[in-house]
Amino acid sequence: MSLLSLLFGEKKKTAAIAKERLQLIIAREHSSTYRGADFLPDLQRELIAVISKYVAVNPDDIKVQLEQQDNYEVLEVNIVLPEQNAATLRERTAAHLSRQP
Amino acid sequence: MTRVVVITSGKGGVGKTTTSAAFASGLALRGFKTCVIDFDVGLRNLDLIMGCERRVVYDFVNVINGEAKLTQALIKDKHCENLFVLPASQTRDKDALTEEGVEAVIKELEHMGFDYVVCDSPAGIERGAVLALTFADEAIVTTNPEVSSVRDSDRILGILQSKSRRAAEGREPVKEHLLVTRYSPKRVDDGEMLSYKDVQELLRVPLIGVIPESESVLHASNQGTPAIHLKGADVADAYTDVVARFLGEERPLRYVNYEKPGLIKRLFGGK
């Protein structure tokens, strides 16, 4: 703080900071990433049930994630199939949803 | 046809009860038969703000439980001919209010020929707050120009849009109004406080008014007189304008611009 502002008691303009923070948090709380996150556990449970019908998978080997990348929301489903003849078979599925956040 | 208006905010202490009292009184002053209901079960306060605390015999929960008739519980306001107060219960039982019970009371008020039912919501997003907005046709979202209040108002708007009867039944949505309260034009001018335009831009709800931060609100609550009755006070004017706009009249915003005090005022003080 300069001597002048000390002398004249310049006030902090914090309203602009408040507005910026609110814009960010409200946008985030409105995004489907934030609101939709609560369906992920159900999705994971159902995926495990379906896949288990065909392949013996370990429930821990199915990972479901929702990520925000710039203007995209990426729903990533990562399934690790059990080892067959010591060879690892990996399958990655990524569904890109071109939704505007 | 009765219109149900909820005064809500999410956050506490922003002026819901002050607004409920002033707004309901304003509607009654304009000739509408109005009932204001305190939904804050356990923490009754509307009766104090309306100045009828010593006349409470039966309350909202008594009516819902069939322990009293609605006509026995309604308290006639001392300032306005056609205004009635339905006080909240002091019970600590959180489940005292039921959706069916609230619906039955609102239906009965409709049969009694009330034009408006004003629901004073408790703070928070729990049962009482949700029940206060469930049957609303219109909502006045009371917000202070301050971060936590704006965010909570945004939350309550989301709840209005998902949990109200209108939303659940896919009818025309609840008509939302933004009321910015405890507004200090000087602090906005100094860049210390969000302007009403900022708040409106953030919440994207049509503005129904701006109530200035005022010492007279405390004087009003001290006496149990709704703020709209304070002669010559800026808050009274601002609330009168809010009621007029609610009824579809055009009124320019008052008390939103800061005027630097003149030399005389600075020398001799005064408010």
Side-chain angles (χ1 to χ4, degrees), chain B residues 183-190 193 212-213 255-258:
Chain B
Y183 196 70
S184 169
K186 182 180 187 301
R187 302 198 74 183
V188 173
D189 221 45
D190 292 342
M193 184 183 264
E213 168 80 70
Y255 313 111
V256 289
N257 296 314
Y258 176 61

Side-chain angles (χ1 to χ4, degrees), chain B residues 88-225:
Chain B
S89 163
Q90 287 284 50
T91 175
R92 286 166 66 187
D93 176 13
K94 275 187 172 177
D95 300 327
L97 286 186
T98 60
E99 193 165 319
E100 302 73 39
V102 174
E103 186 171 21
V105 168
I106 290 176
K107 282 244 170 74
E108 198 175 341
L109 289 169
E110 208 169 322
H111 286 302
M112 289 167 74
F114 276 92
D115 297 301
Y116 288 102
V117 174
V118 177
C119 304
D120 179 21
S121 173
I125 52 173
E126 308 276 312
R127 190 187 186 89
V130 173
L131 281 175
L133 62 79
T134 299
F135 300 97
D137 298 303
E138 305 198 35
I140 295 182
V141 178
T142 310
T143 310
N144 290 168
E146 176 272 328
V147 285
S148 51
S149 175
V150 174
R151 184 202 214 171
D152 290 356
S153 290
D154 184 65
R155 284 294 303 277
I156 212 79
L157 283 164
I159 293 170
L160 263 172
Q161 289 153 12
S162 61
K163 299 219 172 141
S164 63
R165 268 287 166 93
R166 281 176 170 266
E169 292 174 356
R171 283 186 285 149
E172 195 186 322
V174 177
K175 191 173 178 190
E176 298 159 352
H177 307 275
L178 171 66
L179 181 68
V180 178
T181 52
R182 308 196 66 169
Y183 196 70
S184 169
K186 182 180 187 301
R187 302 198 74 183
V188 173
D189 221 45
D190 292 342
E192 289 177 24
M193 184 183 264
L194 291 165
S195 73
Y196 68 88
K197 288 175 186 158
D198 290 336
V199 179
Q200 201 199 346
E201 194 186 310
L202 287 159
L203 296 175
R204 296 166 197 274
V205 173
L207 186 75
I208 197 165
V210 178
I211 308 298
E213 168 80 70
S214 169
E215 291 171 9
S216 25
V217 173
L218 184 59
H219 289 307
S221 73
N222 283 345
Q223 306 167 69
T225 305

Side-chain angles (χ1 to χ4, degrees), chain B residues 36-38 44 47 52-76 84-91:
Chain B
V36 57
I37 307 179
D38 190 349
R44 165 162 87 206
D47 56 339
C52 63
E53 70 278 8
R54 288 194 296 177
R55 288 188 288 149
V56 176
V57 182
Y58 296 109
D59 59 54
F60 197 11
V61 171
N62 291 142
V63 177
I64 286 177
N65 292 343
E67 294 149 8
K69 285 183 182 153
L70 180 56
T71 45
Q72 291 177 293
L74 287 177
I75 304 169
K76 202 180 158 302
F84 295 84
V85 183
L86 183 53
S89 163
Q90 287 284 50
T91 175

